[in-house]
Amino acid sequence: LAKTTQPISMDSYEGQEVNITCSHNNIATNDYITWYQQFPSQGPRFIIQGYKTKVTNEVASLFIPADRKSSTLSLPRVSLSDTAVYYCLVGDPHHPFKAAGNKLTFGGGTRVLVKP
Amino acid sequence: SAVISQKPSRDICQRGTSLTIQCQVDSQVTMMFWYRQQPGQSLTLIATANQGSEATYESGFVIDKFPISRPNLTFSTLTVSNMSPEDSSIYLCSVVRTGRVNTEAFFGQGTRLTVV
């Protein structure tokens, strides 16, 4: 089971770029890296998913080095509404809840506070 | 995407009683998942609910305490039985969908349970 380690919290200011790095040293060949965002009193929401190199969508970029032992979520020009907890998950998304143990497990998450 | 309706959104219950949480999905899914999120903590998977068979429980969770029903492919219930204050948490249901590019987990809004 690929465990993830990410910073507990990060502070930023409006308009800045926020980069959150997640370590996953024992990532498996079939594992993808997925990031979720959770606001208070809501369920987590998918942000981005990738396997290697770089993935970009309308809200974020995901950078994955060649060894895939870490990944960095980049949030460009954050606003106050980006204040949330961000979770890095590692697992096989096509079999996320396989009984063999390759489950999508939520780690501790990173609490991002965006200040005015 | 997936639309998940979860109810109740919150409840305050007396210890020793039971609460049943309902989760309705807008289309058929094979597996539905139940999570618990204690205050300020990450999500912990309780069990996986399959239609037509008994739910599969994670370590630390048992059927007598958290019975689950899955009568059809769009609906599931989780009951928190014989509640104690330690059961005060947010309970979330989730489904996984594979799209053209990504495989995402979708979550209900959660049920905030307070046991007094």
Side-chain angles (χ1 to χ4, degrees):
Chain A
L1 181 62
K3 183 180 176 181
T4 60
T5 303
Q6 48 184 126
I8 293 173
S9 64
M10 297 179 71
D11 288 358
S12 183
Y13 291 91
E14 283 189 293
Q16 288 189 336
E17 178 181 84
V18 172
N19 296 305
I20 309 171
T21 296
C22 179
S23 297
H24 28 79
N25 290 318
N26 58 341
I27 188 170
T29 302
N30 292 334
D31 287 346
Y32 281 65
I33 299 137
T34 310
W35 286 80
Y36 287 83
Q37 174 192 55
Q38 187 178 26
F39 298 115
S41 302
Q42 294 187 25
R45 185 182 68 154
F46 175 93
I47 301 175
I48 198 166
Q49 186 175 79
Y51 184 81
K52 62 180 179 180
T53 61
K54 177 183 174 182
V55 180
T56 298
N57 62 22
E58 61 275 9
V59 298
S61 294
L62 178 59
F63 299 92
I64 306 167
D67 66 6
R68 304 200 327 122
K69 292 184 182 300
S70 67
S71 59
T72 299
L73 175 72
S74 180
L75 305 172
R77 298 180 299 281
V78 294
S79 64
L80 297 177
S81 62
D82 292 315
T83 293
V85 179
Y86 293 82
Y87 294 98
C88 164
L89 280 73
V90 174
D92 182 346
H94 303 293
H95 301 283
F97 300 98
K98 197 187 301 182
N102 187 24
K103 295 184 174 69
L104 278 176
T105 301
F106 281 82
T110 298
R111 194 171 297 272
V112 173
L113 174 63
V114 180
K115 303 175 183 177
Chain B
S1 64
V3 176
I4 302 175
S5 299
Q6 186 176 337
K7 58 182 181 181
S9 58
R10 59 178 61 229
D11 207 343
I12 300 174
C13 301
Q14 296 289 325
R15 67 178 66 198
T17 64
S18 297
L19 175 71
T20 295
I21 302 167
Q22 299 180 6
C23 184
Q24 178 77 49
V25 187
D26 63 343
S27 60
Q28 295 181 345
V29 290
T30 304
M31 294 187 287
M32 295 176 71
F33 309 95
W34 288 97
Y35 287 86
R36 180 175 73 182
Q37 186 172 29
Q38 295 179 307
Q41 303 297 312
S42 183
L43 284 76
T44 301
L45 182 64
I46 297 173
T48 303
N50 298 303
Q51 195 268 335
S53 64
E54 273 199 3
T56 303
Y57 289 82
E58 297 300 304
S59 175
F61 299 96
V62 295
I63 187 171
D64 290 346
K65 177 67 176 177
F66 298 101
I68 287 171
S69 78
R70 184 80 203 277
N72 58 55
L73 291 174
T74 63
F75 187 79
S76 178
T77 68
L78 170 76
T79 299
V80 186
S81 303
N82 188 25
M83 289 183 285
S84 67
E86 291 71 34
D87 294 321
S88 297
S89 281
I90 298 172
Y91 293 85
L92 300 112
C93 65
S94 172
V95 301
V96 173
R97 286 265 170 81
T98 296
R100 189 169 55 85
V101 177
N102 300 306
T103 296
E104 304 177 27
F106 296 89
F107 292 84
Q109 289 287 83
T111 297
R112 182 180 295 273
L113 170 63
T114 303
V115 183
V116 298

